[in-house]
Amino acid sequence: MENMTVARVKGESTRQKSVLSNLHTPWNTHPFIFRLPTEMLEDIFIRCASDHHYKHDGRPIWAAPSWVNVSYVCHHWRHVALNCPTLWTYLFITSRRWREALLARSRQASLKIRGNLLALPDESRWLKMVETVMDHVERIQELRLKLPASYTTHQILSKLSSRAPRLQNLKIMVADSSSEWPSLLFDGDPPALHTLELSDCAVPLSSFKLNALTTLALHDVPVRFRQNIEEFLAALGCMQDLEDLYLYNALNSGTGFLSSAVFEYKNKIELPHLSCLLISAPLSTTVALLSCINFPLDTKTCLTCGLESSSFSDNYALLCSVLTQRYSVDEDQALSSPTILSLVIHVTYGSREVKLTFSESKIDCMDSVNQLWIPNSLLRINLVLEENDANRIIGNICCSMPLSNVQNLLVINPPFSPAFWRRMLGHIQDVRYIKLTSGNMPDLSVLSHTDLTALENEQNRTGVTGDQGQDRVLAPRLEDLVLECITFLSEGDSDQEEPAITRNCLFDALSTRPAQGHLTMTECWMSDSDDGLDLGLVWGECNVRVVYERVHSSEEEDSIDLEHDGSDLEHSDDTVY
């Protein structure tokens, strides 16, 4: 009797569960989340898988990622997930069961593979998956691999000899630069390949066709495998659709090429769609590439020029010549060509590094100066200079660019002489805003209205002539001069060849200017010789705002805010500790 009761209870329990399940099924059709169209659900699932796939950036995952749980929510979601082949093309697991399940569920959809074999505890486990997947190379759409210095690298690379008609994105980094590559990659013809990124490896570009390529990135090619300029240009000539070109320590020195007859008669390679160009190479290589490539004026360009001992001055002269030819436009092109509104000069003491940024937007702070791409920057040049060459070379490069429309000038660590400033301000006559930050105060006596003799002597020496007349003044439209973290020297620095520049020197220069303007000084260190300054001489009969901190020998800091309109002078003295 007792057993019969247990049987009835179990039967009733089963029946009740069935009733509840039958009730839940129609109930699940009422919430909005369960009434989404199948196509929308598939798109959501794929986005979850894609975000997880790229977020992990190829790091090994030893368990199924969280997005797989969408197939366990309900019968409807599971049906949608299992019938969406694209969802299972993001390969993520190493176990044999999951590997077979992924390949089966993805059916014939294109595969996206990311694998990082570097420093794995069980390299053979990951290798088995990679080898299995590489057997389906004809289905691979995206392949991103980080390979170690071991026997596995050759095993994987040997799989790359098969044809890959769907391959669009190939990114490979190899820790072992001596790895042997197949003589013919992808049977020499990956017709859909548009992105190629290679790091620390020597893939021969001539081993397969690159006609459809839109992005080429070569990073840290082993020295013994680097191509010379002529070989690279031959390969580049086939990439007419190229949009992004990144060359970082990828090519040999171009010194020999620049002195060869081939360079003199080399036809320029047309890259009409190029939008971003980054070159980090010896100076001669940079000059050779710029001389042999023709690309749009608005291409965002970043050049890092390594120092070369031979033909140093000649190569910099060639660089200036190339920049002049590239950015100088005639009247017909002036309306459609980009306009440079800001110039940033950043000098790094000790390393002799200089960064020049020419931007189409107004830049008045240094927050983004250290970024690779400053917003709207047209050209970025990073230089490594020899001793005592900063003034001359920076001046030559800047004056080779069309800067007549520059309104903002930002200089970081400005160790420049009056001759430099005469030349720069004579070239950017429309400048409205100058900011100097982090360094010693340069000699800005050239801002004086009476400093015409030195300017004329400089023009006569350089052969550059300008408008003559008593009303001529450098930077006549200057409205704001901002000094931030600048030190005024009461004694010159003989090692840096810097004269003694006090606050009085600056005010004396500004006091003779005919135009009105504003001066702002923030966190500047003043010399003791600035005591008793007559603020009535500041910048003529105009409104002047001066905010500065003065450091006494007792390390007490005074903050003073001054307003001067030529008649009334208001003081407010607040001590800041």
Side-chain angles (χ1 to χ4, degrees), residues 163-165 167-168 170 183-196 203-216 234-240 242:
R163 192 170 184 271
L167 185 63
Q168 297 181 7
L170 176 62
S183 57
L184 198 61
L185 288 172
F186 305 113
D187 199 29
D189 185 21
L193 185 64
H194 59 69
T195 300
L196 176 61
V203 176
L205 298 181
S206 58
S207 64
F208 52 103
K209 297 179 182 178
L210 300 172
N211 303 59
L213 210 62
T214 58
T215 299
L216 174 62
L236 192 65
C238 302
M239 309 176 196
Q240 299 298 317
L242 206 61

Side-chain angles (χ1 to χ4, degrees), residues 134 137 154-164 181-189 207:
M134 296 296 280
V137 67
H154 178 70
Q155 291 177 264
I156 294 173
L157 295 180
S158 64
K159 303 285 186 179
L160 300 181
S161 58
S162 302
R163 192 170 184 271
W181 287 84
S183 57
L184 198 61
L185 288 172
F186 305 113
D187 199 29
D189 185 21
S207 64

